Structure formats: C-alpha cells, structure tokens
Amino acid sequence: WDGGKRLELPDVHGMTTASIDKLAEDFAQEHNLHVQCMPHLREMLEALIAREDEREENFAEYRRQEGHEVLYGSMCQLLHVSTGRMLCVSKLQAMERTEQKVEISLEGTDAAVLVIKPAFKTHSQGEPVSSGDLVKFVTKKKLHGHNLSLHMSSFNPDDADRGRPGTAGTRSGQTPTLDTILSSLKTDSKAIVGAQELNATAGRPTFLRPMLFASSRDKHSVKHLLKAEDYVCFYDKDVEAYLSHTPEAGPHFRCSKRVSSKARKKSTWMWKIESKTLVGAGACVRCSETAHYRLKHVVTGKYLQRDGDTLAVTSEYWKPNCLFTFKRFSRASGDDSTSKNSLIFLRSAGNNPAWVTAASPSDRL
C-alpha cells in the first residue's frame, strides 16, 4: 500500500468511509505514491476505519455495562489492567501440544469473547455471579470445531529446579525450570516457587474463582479517596521530611520542602499500598485497626517492616511485622475512608502496635 516505503499508518480518527477517496488521494500525493498503490491504500484505510469504529462501539458497550451485575451465560472479555491488552485464544499450539495457546493482544479478536458458565449445576443461566464463585470461561467462537475453555496446564516446576539448566521431560518435552520462569518474569523473588501455563482446551476445563478487586463505584465516584494499590509518599509534618529508603541508609526520614502535589518527588520516597486481603484488594483504604496493609518500596521492591523499635525492609512480605494500619488525624463523620493528601497516623499492626514517627530527620525509627 505504501510502495515499500514503510510509512507510518495514517490517522483515521473521526474519519468515515465516505471520506476514504479524499484521504487516499491526499496521502498518496503527500508521500508521492504510485497510482498502482491506490487500491491497496483504500483497502488499508477501510480496514483502519472499521477497526476504529469497532473500538468506539466496544468502549460504548463497556461504559453501558460497567457497574451492572455479571450474569451466568453473559459474554465478557478479560482486559489486563496494567497493559491494557485483551486475553484471547490463539490458533498457535500451547506448550502442552494438545491445547491451544492463550495470549494477550492489543486489539483483541473474536476469540477474546468468552462466556461465563457455572462450574457446577448449582447455578443456572441468568443468575448473578458472586465474588468467589467457581466458574469456567468458554470461547463463544468455535476454534477447530470446538468451544474451548480456559485451562491451567499440568506444568508446575518446583523449587528443586532452581539452578538446574535445561528442561525436564513431560508429555510436551518443554517443561520450563523455575529459573526460566523467573527470567521471563524479570524477577528473582523467592515468593515465586513455580508457575503454570494458561491455555485453552476442548477437554476438561479448569474451574476459576473470580475475586472482586474493586467496586466500579470507587473508580468514578470517589476518585479523591486513597485506595489500595495507590502509589504514595509519606510526609512527616513535624520534622518536614519524607519517609525514604535506600540500600545504604535503610528506611529513614529525609528533609524536603517539596510539599506541593505538583512538586517533583524523589523515587526513593515512593511506596505502594497493598491490602492484606485478596477480596477488595483495590478498594478504598480504611483507617481501622482491623484493616491491615503492606507498604512496598517502589524502587527496591522490598516491604517495610517493624524491627523492634526501628524500621527495616524485607522481601518476605508474608511476615506479620510487615503489616501496618492507618488512623485518621481528625475523626470526621461518615465511614473510615480517608482522602488523598489528608493527615493520618501510621501504626504497626499486631499485639503490641507502635506508631511510625521520626524524632529527627534521618533517624531510623
């Protein structure tokens, strides 16, 4: 379509099929394309406009359905939040040779449309799906004559494979070692002891348990509230210092006058709030003694922990001394949520809780 010039795709946002001829002529004249390229250029522009229309229709349908109950028998697509990519079943072979590969796609395909079905006959079509129900996801479109179901493979290399090169023999002959898994995930976390491939099968499906991460109400109506999975900085107003961490100094408070929300912050001051609970892991942060959270240092990936009367960091996030609670500075009416940029107390959880404070900057407390 571009005569082999490797040109960038033209912007067709807001265009309609009625303007294809004009757009093709202008594009060909601008880039000095041969007349023989025109039929291919028009065809390519039609495909781009159709893709843009479908994307807008999908977004409109998403907004229409957002916040409504998910029902058994309804169709859905699984969108990976961090990357914005869609889970879809591929025509390629999975690592298990009898199954189909599952991958994430930027645009998504008709093989990304899944039907939610109950794992057992205790639920019927049209009933609402509850958080924690056992379900199975089945493709609406038939691939190779079958509706395929999402399936966890039998690959599960254990920790004994760490450091051992090569692969172990299974029915596919391609079982990855733990080192291969950690390398592909670009991490060396000891918390990961194995992994299993997600693929699609025409045989027995794997029952999955969808868990509510956060309410759609929290996404739009309470944007001003602090939520788990938010990235924050902790500023001690008394000593005018940020809670920071470096491998050399460990956790400490560093003096700074950069208190404006628009002021540039150092990356060593950034922490991620993680909820202890799996259900509602992205819900609003609760200022309560019963709501426990972990604080993950963004740069090092380590977790803040109480070590006696001081603060330290660790990779062992499951330890009880990695849990903290929040308390509001002033008791306002309403629930126990808190707004961003508000005053709070930070306290370690457990039988003998202690407040996180700083007697002076750079003290490790």
Side-chain angles (χ1 to χ4, degrees):
W1 66 273
D2 61 354
K5 295 183 178 182
R6 297 185 178 181
L7 301 175
E8 292 187 3
L9 293 175
D11 183 15
V12 297
H13 183 70
M15 299 290 181
T16 63
T17 54
S19 59
I20 286 181
D21 291 339
K22 180 68 166 57
L23 180 61
E25 290 176 3
D26 293 344
F27 188 86
Q29 185 177 2
E30 178 184 356
H31 297 282
N32 196 24
L33 297 181
H34 195 273
V35 66
Q36 293 180 347
C37 298
M38 292 298 291
H40 303 291
L41 178 59
R42 290 192 183 93
E43 184 179 354
M44 188 273 299
L45 290 174
E46 289 177 358
L48 289 177
I49 292 176
R51 184 186 69 173
E52 192 70 21
D53 292 342
E54 182 178 359
R55 182 183 298 171
E56 292 178 359
E57 290 175 2
N58 288 342
F59 182 73
E61 179 65 14
Y62 164 74
R63 293 306 302 264
R64 188 179 70 85
Q65 295 286 353
E66 188 178 20
H68 292 189
E69 284 187 330
V70 179
L71 306 178
Y72 284 111
S74 61
M75 292 177 288
C76 70
Q77 292 175 306
L78 300 180
L79 180 72
H80 189 245
V81 175
S82 298
T83 61
R85 293 175 178 265
M86 201 81 67
L87 188 78
C88 61
V89 179
S90 169
K91 294 181 180 180
L92 301 177
Q93 185 185 75
M95 294 184 68
E96 282 188 295
R97 291 179 178 173
T98 57
E99 318 299 1
Q100 295 298 123
K101 184 178 180 180
V102 170
E103 56 189 9
I104 54 176
S105 169
L106 183 61
E107 297 296 335
T109 65
D110 51 0
V113 180
L114 304 172
V115 180
I116 307 175
K117 296 186 176 183
F120 306 103
K121 294 183 178 180
T122 52
H123 298 281
S124 58
Q125 299 282 79
E127 290 185 8
V129 180
S130 300
S131 178
D133 281 358
L134 282 174
V135 304
K136 54 185 178 181
F137 292 95
V138 184
T139 59
K140 179 188 176 186
K141 178 185 177 182
K142 288 188 176 182
L143 286 87
H144 305 295
H146 299 281
N147 295 105
L148 304 182
S149 302
L150 295 186
H151 168 255
M152 298 300 295
S153 76
S154 58
F155 297 149
N156 190 14
D158 56 34
D159 199 52
D161 288 330
R162 183 185 292 271
R164 188 176 70 186
T167 58
T170 64
R171 60 174 176 167
S172 71
Q174 300 181 33
T175 305
T177 64
L178 184 58
D179 279 342
T180 305
I181 295 168
L182 295 175
S183 176
S184 63
L185 294 175
K186 296 180 175 60
T187 182
D188 59 355
S189 174
K190 295 181 181 179
I192 300 176
V193 297
Q196 293 174 265
E197 180 194 35
L198 176 67
N199 53 43
T201 180
R204 185 174 181 179
T206 298
F207 297 152
L208 302 173
R209 196 185 299 275
M211 311 291 288
L212 181 66
F213 179 78
S215 170
S216 61
R217 177 185 61 85
D218 296 343
K219 180 179 178 181
H220 300 291
S221 60
V222 289
K223 292 183 178 180
H224 64 287
L225 296 181
L226 185 65
K227 303 179 184 65
E229 299 297 313
D230 280 350
Y231 294 91
V232 299
C233 296
F234 293 100
Y235 183 75
D236 190 310
K237 290 183 68 67
D238 291 336
V239 297
E240 298 182 332
Y242 283 97
L243 178 60
S244 179
H245 167 67
T246 60
E248 298 78 19
H252 61 280
F253 284 89
R254 174 167 176 164
C255 282
S256 175
K257 300 293 185 180
R258 302 175 185 175
V259 295
S260 170
S261 59
K262 296 183 179 180
R264 185 174 64 88
K265 308 296 190 300
K266 290 186 176 293
S267 59
T268 55
W269 304 346
M270 296 182 64
W271 302 83
K272 179 184 177 184
I273 302 176
E274 293 185 359
S275 175
K276 177 187 175 183
T277 61
L278 183 61
V279 179
C284 294
V285 169
R286 295 172 49 225
C287 294
S288 169
E289 295 181 359
T290 60
H292 295 169
Y293 300 92
R294 300 183 181 93
L295 303 178
K296 181 179 181 180
H297 192 245
V298 175
V299 175
T300 62
K302 296 183 180 295
Y303 289 82
L304 191 69
Q305 68 168 347
R306 178 187 178 185
D307 187 8
D309 293 332
T310 64
L311 292 176
V313 293
T314 179
S315 299
E316 300 173 339
Y317 65 90
W318 55 85
K319 288 186 174 180
N321 53 354
C322 289
L323 297 176
F324 294 85
T325 62
F326 296 96
K327 181 181 179 180
R328 284 194 291 202
F329 179 76
S330 59
R331 184 62 183 174
S333 59
D335 57 20
D336 51 9
S337 59
T338 185
S339 301
K340 299 175 182 177
N341 298 320
S342 61
L343 294 175
I344 59 167
F345 293 107
L346 181 61
R347 181 170 56 180
S348 63
N351 297 327
N352 187 25
W355 303 102
V356 176
T357 184
S360 60
S362 299
D363 279 356
R364 195 187 303 183
L365 295 173

